[in-house]
């Protein structure tokens, strides 16, 4: 019987079974059905046509009965009303090869099998192999090659092999000394020793972290429009350390999903959960809290699905999955595992990290924090005792207060009894304030005029206290808000962050408790002229920006309890006042008591009486001599201020009681089906939930690493394989479902997965087995015939060859030039990028890009500052992701921008100058010696005669250019922050710098082979 090959995504995707007699349903038929039939005849009942299912055996049998079957009649028909798939521009018709395949399948009795990825992993026996094979990997590869009539390539030259190995295991090139030592070691164990040395290198953890950060969507900013800076680098350091320690992958996974839920969780186990906190977060005013909380949890479901299961879980958010047996109900049952974390959906105008947090103080900070915590606790205990002992004759005090004369020392506008937070309304149009002429311009706050604003507030949530602001918050005007973590913001703006003032107090409020809040401004246009007072006491604050240059006056109405485009402040407000001066501390306290006196003289509603009682307690207990000696010494504020200066990482924390989960109709946050609360559960088509496991994130993590799980080990080893060969065994690493590309070597994939689990999830052991294989060691040279037959090297008849990732290219240039700074870990670095890039594309952060100096400027690309909305342009040109969502496979493009970057980006121009200096100092005296040395530094090997001739012409042309123009040579050298080596002749240095630019742009320099 003739073999029948089908085109799914290439002729070589079916495994060895395709060559055998009989149709292989899994690798030949199912991909055709999934691509052409499941959309209308698949798992999604809502879109299913004619009640027919072709994704299950029972459903398909209904269409396959009879002779000819209805199934064949439809696919063979030319009648557009009968033909399947239906003709149309949005449809993908079956090819003639696919039609013949389906005919043959039906003729053979339509054998059926479940989807390969959803079956438990069974360890296959490695086939026998000849002398070429070095381990079991080679046996599987060789069997496939022999069936294809191919032979493996010879082993790569030793220089090339060491360079490949060094980049694959450390992300950096080998030094000339390492190459020489390897070439000199002729023992059979030389290569294995090199493997062991690189696996033990601390650079290994950095290299492994690079792609893990892609999957974890790690970045240094929150994302979305404001895209404010965050600090998650301690989590990145944890990842590097875990890889260097060769942490068991199952434990590595569990801690990132649920480290905080482990018994007696350590600080670092809590830090590990930063994996799920790495997603984007919303800070814009006007955003809807529940909408974005839901989006955050959905994004985490999608990340867990892609990274650990290789499933497109997000496709089941709005309806049943169209291709995989994953229903919408099961999506939200899976969602329920992640739905009870103590977080918000919107962090209004927040910069920096948002809680829950874990702090990373330096040793000197730890001592100060411990001392302050003891002082705060002692003060609170003394205060509790004083409160219990002190008699508080509130009614007598209230009567005396009502007799207090009310001669206000300052003109002010006062509006009282606005006590129903959600119902707070505008004071009125701006002209309504003109009745208070003592306010100067009356109806507007201005940049040069002093003013003060105060009110009694009882906040039940975050939101605006008062606002006179044009457009969206932050454009022009004045406002104050209460943040989600009980801080008060004072904000004056002319044109956003690049032309405004913004101060953020330390936490000093309490939800549901009355507090007097005052904000003062002296008209100076500087942050130092702003005061924030809480209950008559100045609050410590942090200046977020101090850039006000122009007028803040606006004709927008003054609003209480909300912004023009935002929801109302939940809670209550009383006695709002505006003053025509900047009140001092004593004046704030005096005016506060004047307001209380007025309230005591008038008939009071219960809310006012409550406010007065709370104030009286504060006045007569908190302001005792005890308070003056202890709390007013600001131990708590000092502690809060100190903690803002300490590095932190955002972590997960579970709510005390689970948050109810409901199916969201069409996935909409505001359309829950509240008829049934869904309990956490895993998809029914996969293995059962572990018996006795908790129904929370910890149980989910245990389910992910259970030995019966058919996906986690397969998905993980597939990505590890991808890191060595440029392509994976399953070339859709984020999708192992029914629309996935079939594995090129299915038995090898299952053998690797079994080996991985049986080894104790040992990542380094698996990687060593891969790089020790003869398959990995093959030369990358390829014939025209093989290139045409297998352009992507799916059959692995040769070694890998592909353009290196963006980080490797930059790090290689820094390493070979001698610029690379070896420091591991620490904060992200703002490296070279076009001046003003943030100013043009992110106005809220204008002027906030602070380029690093000194050694920090030359740290590994892993530490480059990652701004989601403005990716680093050179790294992006070489296909680094934007980090806005999980990425388990990078694109690989070839564009003119890449050549332009290598020739003109200051990083590479400066590296060329430093490489030129290194060639002149280390490469010998003769130009030919220097040429050969420079070529070896950048490519890892010596040039051949033809290459020497071509490069010699290039060097001579640069020498001729600069010999006649010394001034041009000096100008040519002025690139980058590192100083020009004054001990070298500038003309000679410039000539070799031009030559070095050529070396850094060679295809072989930026290619891994």
């Amino acid at each position: 019987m003739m073999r029948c090959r089908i085109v799914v995504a290439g002729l070589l995707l079916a495994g060895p079974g395709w060559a055998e007699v009989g149709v292989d349903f899994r690798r030949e038929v199912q991909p055709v059905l999934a691509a052409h039939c499941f959309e209308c005849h698949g798992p999604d009942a809502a879109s299913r046509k004619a009640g027919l299912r072709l994704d299950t055996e029972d459903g398909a049998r209904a269409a396959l009965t009879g002779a000819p079957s209805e199934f064949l009649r439809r696919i063979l028909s030319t009648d557009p009303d009968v033909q399947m798939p239906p003709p149309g521009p949005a449809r993908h018709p079956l090819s003639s090869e696919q039609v013949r395949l389906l005919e043959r399948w039906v003729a053979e009795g339509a054998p059926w099998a479940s989807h390969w990825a959803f079956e438990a992993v069974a360890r296959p026996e490695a086939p026998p192999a000849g002398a070429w094979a070095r381990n079991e990997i080679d046996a599987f590869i060789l069997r496939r090659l022999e069936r294809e009539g191919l032979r493996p390539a010879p082993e790569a030259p030793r220089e090339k092999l060491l360079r490949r190995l060094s980049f694959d295991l450390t992300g950096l090139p080998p030094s000339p000394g390492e190459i020489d030592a390897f070439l000199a070691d002729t023992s059979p164990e030389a290569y294995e020793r090199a493997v062991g040395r690189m696996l033990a290198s601390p650079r290994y953890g950095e290299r492994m972290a690079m792609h893990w950060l892609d999957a974890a969507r790690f970045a240094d900013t929150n994302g979305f429009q404001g895209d404010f800076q965050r600090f998650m680098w301690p989590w990145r350091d944890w990842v590097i350390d875990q890889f260097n320690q060769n942490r068991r992958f199952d434990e590595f996974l569990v801690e990132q999903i649920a480290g905080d839920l482990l018994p007696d969780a350590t600080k670092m186990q809590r830090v590990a959960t930063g994996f799920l906190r790495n997603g984007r977060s919303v800070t814009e005013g006007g955003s809807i809290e529940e909408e974005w909380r839901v989006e955050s949890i959905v994004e985490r479901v999608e990340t867990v699905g892609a990274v650990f299961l290789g499933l497109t879980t997000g496709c089941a958010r709005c309806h049943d999955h169209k291709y995989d047996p994953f229903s919408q109900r099961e999506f939200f049952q899976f969602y329920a595992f992640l739905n009870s974390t103590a977080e918000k959906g919107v962090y209004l105008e927040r910069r920096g990290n948002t809680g829950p947090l874990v702090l990373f103080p330096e040793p000197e900070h730890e001592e100060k924090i411990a001392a302050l915590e003891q002082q705060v606790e002692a003060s609170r205990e003394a205060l509790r005792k004083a409160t219990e002992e002190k008699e508080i004759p509130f009614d007598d005090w209230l009567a005396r207060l009502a007799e207090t004369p009310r001669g206000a020392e300052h003109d002010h506008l006062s509006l009282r009894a606005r006590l129903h937070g959600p119902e707070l309304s505008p004071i009125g149009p701006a002209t309504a304030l003109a009745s208070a002429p003592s306010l100067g311009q009356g109806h507007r706050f201005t940049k040069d005029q002093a003013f003060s604003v105060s009110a009694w507030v009882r906040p039940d949530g975050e939101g605006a206290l008062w606002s006179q602001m044009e457009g969206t918050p932050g454009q022009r005007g004045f406002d104050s808000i209460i943040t989600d973590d009980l801080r008060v913001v004072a904000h004056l703006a002319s044109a956003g962050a690049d032309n405004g003032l913004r101060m953020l107090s330390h936490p000093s409020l309490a939800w549901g408790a009355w507090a007097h809040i005052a904000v003062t401004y002296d008209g100076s246009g500087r942050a130092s002229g702003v005061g924030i007072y809480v209950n008559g006491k100045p609050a410590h604050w942090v200046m977020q920006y101090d850039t006000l240059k122009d007028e803040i006056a606006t004709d927008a109405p003054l609003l209480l309890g909300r912004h023009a485009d935002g929801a109302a402040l939940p809670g209550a407000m009383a006695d709002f006042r505006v003053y025509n001066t900047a009140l001092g501390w004593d004046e704030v306290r005096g005016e506060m008591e004047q307001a209380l006196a007025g309230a005591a003289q008038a008939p009071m509603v219960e809310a006012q009486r409550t406010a007065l009682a709370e104030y009286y307690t504060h006045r007569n207990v908190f302001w005792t001599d005890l308070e003056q000696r202890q709390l007013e010494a600001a131990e708590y504020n000092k502690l809060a201020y100190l903690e803002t200066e300490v590095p932190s990482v955002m972590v997960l924390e579970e709510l005390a009681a689970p948050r109810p989960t409901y199916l969201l109709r069409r996935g909409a946050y505001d359309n829950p089906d509240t008829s049934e609360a869904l309990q956490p559960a895993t998809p029914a088509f996969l293995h059962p939930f572990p018996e006795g496991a908790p129904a929370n994130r910890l149980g989910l993590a245990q389910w992910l690493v259970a030995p019966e799980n058919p996906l986690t080990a397969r998905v993980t080893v597939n990505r590890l394989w991808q890191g060595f060969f440029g392509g994976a065994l399953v070339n859709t690493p984020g999708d192992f479902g029914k629309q996935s590309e079939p594995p090129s070597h299915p038995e090898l994939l299952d053998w690797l997965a079994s080996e991985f689990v049986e080894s104790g999830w040992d990542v380094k052991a698996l990687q060593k087995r891969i790089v020790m294989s003869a398959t990995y060691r093959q030369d990358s040279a390829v014939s025209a015939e093989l290139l045409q037959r297998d352009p992507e090297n799916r059959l692995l008849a040769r070694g890998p060859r592909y353009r290196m990732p963006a980080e490797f290219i930059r790090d290689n240039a820094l390493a070979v030039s001698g610029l690379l700074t070896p420091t591991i870990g620490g904060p992200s670095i703002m490296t070279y990028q076009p001046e003003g890039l943030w100013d043009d594309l992110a106005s809220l952060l204008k002027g906030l890009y602070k380029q690093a100096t000194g050694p920090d400027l030359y740290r590994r690309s892993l530490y480059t500052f990652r701004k989601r909305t403005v990716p680093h342009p050179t790294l992006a040109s070489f296909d680094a992701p934007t980090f806005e969502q999980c990425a388990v496979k990078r694109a690989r493009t070839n564009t003119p921008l890449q050549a332009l970057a290598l020739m003109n980006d200051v990083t590479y121009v400066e590296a060329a100058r430093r490489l030129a200096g290194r060639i002149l100092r280390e490469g010998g005296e003769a130009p030919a010696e220097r040429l050969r040395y420079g070529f070896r530094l950048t490519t890892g090997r010596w040039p051949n005669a033809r290459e020497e001739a071509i490069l010699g012409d290039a060097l001579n042309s640069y020498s001729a250019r600069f010999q006649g123009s010394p001034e041009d040579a000096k100008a040519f050298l002025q690139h980058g922050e590192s100083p020009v080596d004054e001990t070298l002749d500038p003309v000679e240095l410039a000539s070799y710098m031009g030559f070095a630019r050529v070396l850094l742009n060679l295809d072989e320099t930026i290619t891994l082979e």
Side-chain angles (χ1 to χ4, degrees):
M1 185 178 292
M2 293 182 60
R3 295 181 300 179
C4 180
R5 300 184 184 182
I6 65 167
V7 177
V8 178
L11 296 179
L12 304 169
L13 298 183
W18 71 266
E20 299 168 353
V21 175
V23 174
D24 187 320
F25 173 79
R26 286 179 182 158
R27 297 181 179 89
E28 296 183 273
V29 176
Q30 184 177 273
V32 177
L33 298 179
H36 297 275
C37 306
F38 285 3
E39 183 175 354
C40 299
H41 303 292
D44 185 5
S47 63
R48 192 177 302 140
K49 302 295 192 294
L52 174 64
R53 292 191 70 167
L54 293 176
D55 65 309
T56 65
E57 183 173 9
D58 290 343
R61 294 292 176 205
L64 292 168
T65 56
S69 69
E70 183 68 11
F71 175 79
L72 284 181
R73 188 179 77 84
R74 292 258 180 171
I75 67 172
L76 294 172
S77 175
T78 58
D79 183 346
D81 293 329
V82 177
Q83 183 182 9
M84 290 290 161
R91 302 290 180 179
H92 300 287
L94 294 168
S95 68
S96 57
E97 292 90 346
Q98 290 169 333
V99 171
R100 288 196 297 271
L101 172 75
L102 295 176
E103 287 183 291
R104 182 180 167 207
W105 173 59
V106 173
E108 293 179 359
W112 194 273
S114 59
H115 183 54
W116 63 270
F118 300 158
E119 287 192 346
V121 177
R123 183 185 180 93
E125 287 293 327
W132 175 76
R134 293 179 179 272
N135 60 30
E136 295 88 342
I137 291 172
D138 301 325
F140 289 106
I141 297 298
L142 186 60
R143 181 173 68 178
R144 177 72 191 275
L145 290 177
E146 289 174 343
R147 286 178 175 170
E148 295 283 349
L150 298 171
R151 295 296 300 168
E155 187 165 294
R158 297 192 78 197
E159 298 98 322
K160 181 187 289 187
L161 187 56
L162 187 69
R163 186 173 189 265
R164 177 192 300 172
L165 185 70
S166 184
F167 274 112
D168 279 341
L169 293 182
T170 71
L172 293 171
S175 69
E178 289 171 330
I179 297 174
D180 290 338
F182 180 64
L183 295 178
D185 187 348
T186 59
S187 68
E189 297 80 23
Y191 180 76
E192 186 171 5
R193 279 197 289 267
V195 171
R197 175 174 55 81
M198 292 175 189
L199 286 173
S201 167
R203 298 300 182 189
Y204 167 83
E206 292 178 309
R207 186 266 177 271
M208 290 297 294
M210 187 186 87
H211 285 306
W212 192 255
L213 299 190
D214 288 0
R217 64 264 187 265
F218 173 89
D220 297 292
T221 58
N222 290 327
F224 299 106
Q225 182 181 355
D227 202 19
F228 301 125
Q229 185 173 1
R230 65 165 54 159
F231 305 93
M232 290 294 285
W233 60 264
W235 176 82
R236 178 180 59 201
D237 287 359
W238 176 84
V239 170
I240 294 170
D241 182 64
Q242 295 299 290
F243 279 120
N244 278 332
Q245 289 185 30
N246 195 29
R247 186 71 182 281
R248 286 180 58 117
F249 187 82
D250 56 343
E251 296 175 353
F252 181 65
L253 183 159
V254 168
E255 291 187 4
Q256 290 183 90
I257 299 295
D260 59 310
L261 299 179
L262 291 169
D264 301 317
T266 66
K267 176 179 178 178
M268 298 313 296
Q269 286 172 329
R270 293 186 64 208
V271 166
T273 64
F275 172 80
L276 288 177
R277 290 295 307 276
N278 274 318
R280 295 181 293 173
S281 56
V282 177
T283 61
E284 282 86 4
S287 302
I288 300 173
E289 164 72 27
E290 182 63 7
E291 176 184 11
W292 290 105
R293 193 191 67 78
V294 167
E295 292 299 324
S296 177
I297 305 303
V298 167
E299 187 269 346
R300 290 175 186 173
V301 173
E302 293 173 342
T303 296
V304 171
V307 176
F308 301 119
L309 296 173
L311 293 178
T312 55
T313 53
C315 295
R317 171 184 179 174
C318 305
H319 49 70
D320 292 349
H321 202 293
K322 300 256 182 219
Y323 304 100
D324 297 330
F326 191 32
S327 68
Q328 186 187 21
R329 177 186 176 87
E330 287 177 317
F331 175 89
F332 283 103
Q333 289 175 315
F334 199 95
Y335 171 105
F337 284 111
L338 306 173
N339 192 34
S340 294
T341 52
E343 299 165 68
K344 297 170 59 61
V346 179
Y347 296 91
L348 188 61
E349 294 298 312
R350 283 294 304 278
R351 276 75 166 165
N353 289 357
T354 57
L357 302 172
V358 168
L359 297 179
F360 278 84
E362 299 293 336
E364 63 270 19
H365 288 151
E366 289 181 337
E367 295 177 6
K368 292 179 181 178
I369 288 174
L372 287 171
E373 285 176 340
Q374 290 180 356
Q375 293 172 13
V376 168
E377 185 55 37
S379 297
R380 288 175 175 169
E381 180 59 32
L383 189 59
R384 283 192 292 269
K385 184 176 180 181
T387 304
E388 293 170 358
E389 295 174 352
K390 189 173 183 68
E391 182 180 355
I392 308 177
F394 172 67
D395 290 331
D396 292 344
W397 173 81
L398 189 62
R400 292 195 302 272
L401 186 64
E403 298 171 359
T404 303
R406 296 196 59 214
E409 297 181 12
H410 299 285
D411 293 328
H412 64 275
L413 169 68
S414 179
L415 297 104
R416 299 186 184 84
R418 298 198 178 271
L419 299 170
H420 311 289
E423 300 174 11
L424 288 173
S425 59
I427 291 176
T431 53
L433 294 180
S435 60
S438 60
L439 293 177
Q441 296 183 18
H443 64 292
R444 299 193 297 177
F445 298 111
T446 69
K447 172 180 176 290
D448 299 324
Q449 182 181 4
F451 61 83
S452 302
V453 183
S454 68
W456 280 90
V457 181
R458 191 200 69 213
D460 293 327
E462 63 181 310
L465 293 167
W466 42 75
S467 170
Q468 187 178 47
M469 189 74 72
E470 288 180 9
T472 57
Q475 296 306 306
R476 185 181 180 90
F478 165 72
D479 66 349
S480 294
I481 65 172
I482 293 177
T483 67
D484 62 290
D485 57 349
L486 300 168
R487 301 167 185 257
V488 178
V489 173
H491 180 211
L492 293 81
S494 182
D498 58 333
N499 195 348
L501 308 176
R502 196 175 194 273
M503 282 61 65
L504 177 69
S505 79
H506 290 295
S508 50
L509 305 174
W511 298 130
W514 282 94
H516 184 268
I517 297 174
V519 175
T520 68
Y521 172 65
D522 66 2
S524 66
R526 301 299 304 275
S528 58
V530 177
I532 300 175
Y533 298 84
V534 177
N535 290 327
K537 297 168 61 178
H540 290 272
W541 52 255
V542 174
M543 185 270 292
Q544 293 189 312
Y545 46 85
D546 186 5
T547 58
L548 184 62
K549 300 182 285 289
D550 301 312
E551 186 54 69
I552 68 169
T554 172
D555 291 328
L558 176 61
L559 306 179
L560 290 186
R562 65 182 176 90
H563 279 114
D565 60 351
L569 171 74
M573 182 181 290
D575 208 83
F576 173 79
R577 297 185 174 208
V578 180
Y579 298 89
N580 66 344
T581 187
L583 302 179
W585 182 359
D586 291 341
E587 293 170 320
V588 168
R589 186 178 297 181
E591 294 292 336
M592 181 174 62
E593 296 196 10
Q594 287 283 346
L596 290 171
Q601 292 172 1
M604 286 188 294
V605 296
E606 184 59 32
Q608 286 174 303
R609 183 178 178 86
T610 300
L612 289 174
E614 290 176 355
Y615 169 75
Y616 178 74
T617 300
H618 187 92
R619 175 67 176 84
N620 289 277
V621 176
F622 285 18
W623 289 353
T624 60
D625 289 341
L626 174 68
E627 173 68 358
Q628 290 291 333
R629 290 195 309 272
Q630 297 186 41
L631 284 186
E632 195 147 301
E635 291 96 340
Y636 182 79
N637 278 340
K638 288 177 183 176
L639 177 62
Y641 183 81
L642 181 59
E643 289 180 348
T644 64
E645 303 299 311
V646 170
S648 66
V649 65
M650 302 190 300
V651 299
L652 292 181
E653 187 175 289
E654 205 76 350
L655 294 171
R659 183 182 282 115
T661 297
Y662 304 102
L663 185 147
L664 301 179
R665 301 182 185 93
R666 298 190 64 80
Y669 78 94
D670 57 353
N671 194 13
D673 179 2
T674 56
S675 64
E676 179 187 10
L678 300 180
Q679 300 305 310
T682 50
F685 72 94
L686 293 174
H687 60 293
F689 197 71
E691 187 175 350
N696 57 17
R697 283 183 285 113
L698 182 56
L700 174 64
Q702 293 168 350
W703 176 81
L704 287 170
V705 298
E708 312 86 76
N709 191 321
L711 290 170
T712 302
R714 280 184 174 127
V715 168
T716 303
V717 300
N718 188 62
R719 279 205 314 276
L720 291 172
W721 183 276
Q722 177 180 256
F724 292 105
F725 291 92
L729 296 170
V730 179
N731 221 15
T732 51
D735 185 2
F736 272 47
K738 291 184 178 180
Q739 280 223 304
S740 66
E741 189 173 290
S744 60
H745 298 77
E747 290 84 0
L748 174 58
L749 178 66
D750 280 7
W751 186 88
L752 289 170
S754 300
E755 182 72 13
F756 187 43
V757 175
E758 291 175 13
S759 72
W761 301 81
D762 189 326
V763 174
K764 285 188 178 182
L766 181 72
Q767 291 178 313
K768 181 177 181 180
R769 191 174 289 269
I770 291 173
V771 299
M772 291 296 295
S773 70
T775 302
Y776 175 79
R777 300 195 213 184
Q778 294 177 99
D779 194 0
S780 60
V782 58
S783 67
E785 180 185 1
L786 181 58
L787 184 62
Q788 183 176 11
R789 181 173 178 182
D790 185 14
E792 295 182 2
N793 196 25
R794 301 304 312 283
L795 296 174
L796 297 166
R798 61 185 187 275
R801 188 183 193 281
Y802 56 92
R803 201 214 58 229
M804 292 193 289
E807 293 88 342
F808 284 18
I809 294 172
R810 177 178 176 272
D811 293 352
N812 181 51
L814 296 178
V816 300
S817 66
L819 276 170
L820 184 67
T821 299
T823 306
I824 295 176
S828 296
I829 303 300
M830 294 182 181
T831 59
Y832 295 122
Q833 72 174 27
E835 186 176 353
L837 182 64
W838 282 18
D839 297 357
D840 292 337
L841 300 179
S843 61
L844 286 176
L845 295 180
K846 188 171 183 179
L848 294 184
Y849 192 90
K850 305 297 184 185
Q851 181 182 296
T853 59
D856 278 350
L857 195 52
Y858 311 107
R859 297 193 63 203
R860 289 192 71 168
S861 303
L862 178 74
Y863 305 111
T864 297
F865 191 92
R866 298 180 173 190
K867 183 170 176 59
R868 298 184 206 259
T869 57
V870 191
H872 189 279
T874 304
L875 295 181
S877 294
F878 286 97
D879 305 312
T882 63
F883 315 110
E884 294 185 299
Q885 58 189 11
C886 166
V888 293
K889 180 181 181 180
R890 290 192 180 188
R892 192 176 297 123
T893 62
N894 189 2
T895 71
L897 282 177
Q898 294 165 355
L900 289 171
L902 290 175
M903 289 298 292
N904 299 293
D905 183 276
V906 65
T907 295
Y908 299 100
V909 177
E910 182 180 20
R913 173 167 57 80
R914 292 295 295 263
L915 176 58
R918 185 177 181 187
I919 293 170
L920 290 171
R921 289 189 303 272
E922 302 173 9
E925 296 298 327
E929 289 182 289
R930 292 170 174 175
L931 181 153
R932 288 168 53 79
Y933 184 71
F935 185 87
R936 193 185 194 213
L937 281 176
T938 51
T939 68
R941 66 175 178 87
W942 298 110
N944 58 38
R946 182 171 177 270
E947 291 164 338
E948 282 191 56
I950 295 172
L951 292 173
D953 289 343
L955 177 58
N956 291 336
S957 67
Y958 280 109
S959 296
R961 170 186 170 185
F962 292 117
Q963 285 291 345
S965 182
E967 293 306 315
D968 285 352
K970 291 180 180 179
F972 188 61
L973 298 174
Q974 303 305 312
H975 294 279
E977 297 293 323
S978 62
V980 177
D981 190 340
E982 300 291 344
T983 66
L984 298 173
D985 175 67
V987 171
E988 191 172 44
L989 182 59
S991 300
Y992 277 89
M993 176 180 169
F995 170 67
R997 291 176 74 186
V998 174
L999 293 177
L1000 292 177
N1001 279 269
L1002 293 176
D1003 175 73
E1004 192 170 344
T1005 302
I1006 65 170
T1007 299
L1008 188 59
E1009 62 176 340

